[in-house]
């Protein structure tokens, strides 16, 4: 079964260049392994209308939507009320979360921290083993923290409950002795022969001067994948290159 | 003058987790310095309708749109014909580019490589000092390679011709002695006092256990920015923390 996912990164820090993204590759890899491959990623600012519109649009288009960022205690953490608005439900105190955080913070459980106990009505918390304030799932939308350590912990709590699709397998050959343009025509012929696979060509250039191209076949049909991988191997040899299995070294 | 930009990363490799993005932060930072801050990023697959639709939508919404990926010689490099379709113009050989690449490749200038000499009609090439095959600008859309070294070289060629906006300045204080929830209310009051600035709060957690929060004020009005930075400094002290200027160490 084909299942699809989208990811929304909410917050200004990646758009401004202040922070380098550290969540995309983790989620892309893990969702691929669950058979729910990412089909689209959006990075959007902390702007109410943008968040609401993006959640509404993507949750209609993909099986699962994951968001990161904007669920902390500060004024720029507006993901919660926006997701509530996208679902047309109130954003309100979630009693078990309120009680848990009250116990954690004691006298320091101020108004700002109490915001973290508010969820869209009907949301199911995603436990946060790092700093306690939870994420949550509502419908097909899964709201997680932006801090990578916390996001990963939340995702690991959430993953067992996600409905898996057919896993996507891949086979890769690379060569440092040929250029992309030399093998392009042969590669297109392989793609034509196996229309249900994704055949990709990824040139690489290392700072020390090493360069070459990685050829990747991906798909859910393992016998076809093996045949395509063999054809890619043979193409590299036929063009006078040396095929090496796997990803090129960094 | 307020100018805005969007970025479209085209290709399956980031969505699959195969490749870690290495372009976003470079473009975000450089565009911010040119006063054309990024307001949205999309990562989309090598799918014709998706590319066309995304280019049409974002070029109407932002002053400048940058794309990376999909302009090489292989069958999965479909950005060129898609951008042409988005502008309603033919995708055709660009004579000076054809002649330049023919001279470079000589007898190896095969059909696959000739694809790299095709541009949407009316496009202006962006020189590629690394591997010669150019990017191009058409209207407010700037099409660049996905390989980071080549993308950066193209951007540096393109940047002097971009119309700049008012630069965005920022001031940052961090503290390791307070949590986000302790300063949230005071920070919101500062945001309310300076509505034209973006006041952000970014908690950090290092693998070795160091943690804290960085407070960032950004904007185009320098006197207001100085006042807000002072207020952030004073807030950290008032709450019993030690304010340190700048970004927290990695």
């Amino acid at each position: 079964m084909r299942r699809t996912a989208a990811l929304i990164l909410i917050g200004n820090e990646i758009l401004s260049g202040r922070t380098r993204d550290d969540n995309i590759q983790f989620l892309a890899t893990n969702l691929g392994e669950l058979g729910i491959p990412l089909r689209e990623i959006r990075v959007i600012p902390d702007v109410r209308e943008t968040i609401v519109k993006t959640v509404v649009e993507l949750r209609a288009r993909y099986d699962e939507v994951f968001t990161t960022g904007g669920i902390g205690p500060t004024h720029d953490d507006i993901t919660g009320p926006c997701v509530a608005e996208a679902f047309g439900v109130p954003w309100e105190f979630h009693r078990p979360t309120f009680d848990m955080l009250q116990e954690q913070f004691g006298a320091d459980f101020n108004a700002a921290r109490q915001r973290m106990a508010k969820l869209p009505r009907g949301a199911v918390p995603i436990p946060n083993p790092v700093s306690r304030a939870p994420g949550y799932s509502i419908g097909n939308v899964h709201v997680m923290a932006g801090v990578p350590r916390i996001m990963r912990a939340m995702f690991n709590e959430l993953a067992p409950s996600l409905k898996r699709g057919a896993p996507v397998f891949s086979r890769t050959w690379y060569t440092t002795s040929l250029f992309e343009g030399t093998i392009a025509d042969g590669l297109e012929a392989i793609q034509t022969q196996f229309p249900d696979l994704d055949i990709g060509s990824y040139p690489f250039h290392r700072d020390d001067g090493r360069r070459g191209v990685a050829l990747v076949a991906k798909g859910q049909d393992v016998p076809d994948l093996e045949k395509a991988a063999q054809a890619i191997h043979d193409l590299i040899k036929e063009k006078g290159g040396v095929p090496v299995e796997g990803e090129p070294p960094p």
Side-chain angles (χ1 to χ4, degrees), chain A:
Chain A
M1 187 190 50
R2 188 90 188 181
R3 307 203 76 227
T4 60
L7 170 62
I8 309 171
L9 308 188
I10 300 167
N12 299 322
E13 64 269 35
I14 290 170
L15 293 169
S16 71
R18 181 185 174 277
T19 301
R20 180 172 175 177
D21 162 69
D22 206 17
N23 288 335
I24 289 175
Q25 193 173 30
F26 174 88
L27 286 167
T29 305
N30 282 271
L31 288 169
E33 288 170 2
L34 294 173
I36 321 170
L38 269 185
R39 297 293 289 163
E40 180 167 352
I41 302 168
R42 298 211 190 164
V43 186
I44 59 173
D46 300 307
V47 173
R48 192 184 61 81
E49 312 84 75
T50 307
I51 299 172
V52 173
K53 191 169 163 297
T54 305
V55 170
V56 167
E57 182 182 341
L58 296 189
R59 81 180 176 94
R61 192 180 301 166
Y62 299 97
D63 294 320
E64 308 282 358
V65 174
F66 299 84
T67 78
T68 69
I71 61 169
T74 56
H75 68 278
D76 54 336
D77 292 315
I78 61 173
T79 298
C82 293
V83 170
E85 185 175 336
F87 278 83
V89 299
W91 184 58
E92 62 190 13
F93 283 119
H94 183 263
R95 181 52 54 185
T97 298
F98 190 95
D99 293 346
M100 176 189 71
L101 293 178
Q102 186 165 43
E103 188 176 352
Q104 178 187 2
F105 287 111
D108 293 331
F109 195 45
N110 58 22
R113 290 188 168 112
Q114 289 175 24
R115 283 184 97 240
M116 299 192 292
K118 282 190 166 184
L119 307 185
R121 183 180 293 174
V124 177
I126 303 172
N128 169 356
V130 177
S131 58
R132 308 301 299 278
Y136 49 87
S137 297
I138 178 168
N140 60 340
V141 176
H142 311 283
V143 177
M144 301 183 292
V147 173
R149 277 182 66 218
I150 303 177
M151 185 281 291
R152 291 173 192 212
M154 285 182 178
F155 184 81
N156 291 335
E157 296 281 341
L158 172 66
S161 69
L162 293 171
K163 188 171 154 193
R164 291 164 174 248
V168 177
F169 296 96
S170 78
R171 290 285 302 275
T172 302
W173 292 93
Y174 76 90
T175 172
T176 54
S177 45
L178 293 176
F179 291 109
E180 212 182 16
T182 309
I183 41 184
D185 289 338
L187 199 66
E188 183 166 9
I190 298 171
Q191 175 71 81
T192 304
Q193 195 186 340
F194 299 100
D196 290 340
L197 302 179
D198 284 332
I199 312 283
S201 165
Y202 303 106
F204 61 90
H205 303 241
R206 301 290 183 245
D207 289 341
D208 61 8
R210 283 173 300 142
R211 51 186 293 173
V213 56
L215 304 174
V216 182
K218 276 185 306 187
Q220 295 168 319
D221 182 319
V222 174
D224 268 6
L225 192 63
E226 292 304 321
K227 282 180 221 156
Q230 184 63 45
I232 288 171
H233 167 275
D234 295 349
L235 172 67
I236 295 173
K237 284 196 77 163
E238 175 201 325
K239 294 291 181 183
V242 178
V244 183
E245 182 143 31
E247 290 288 338

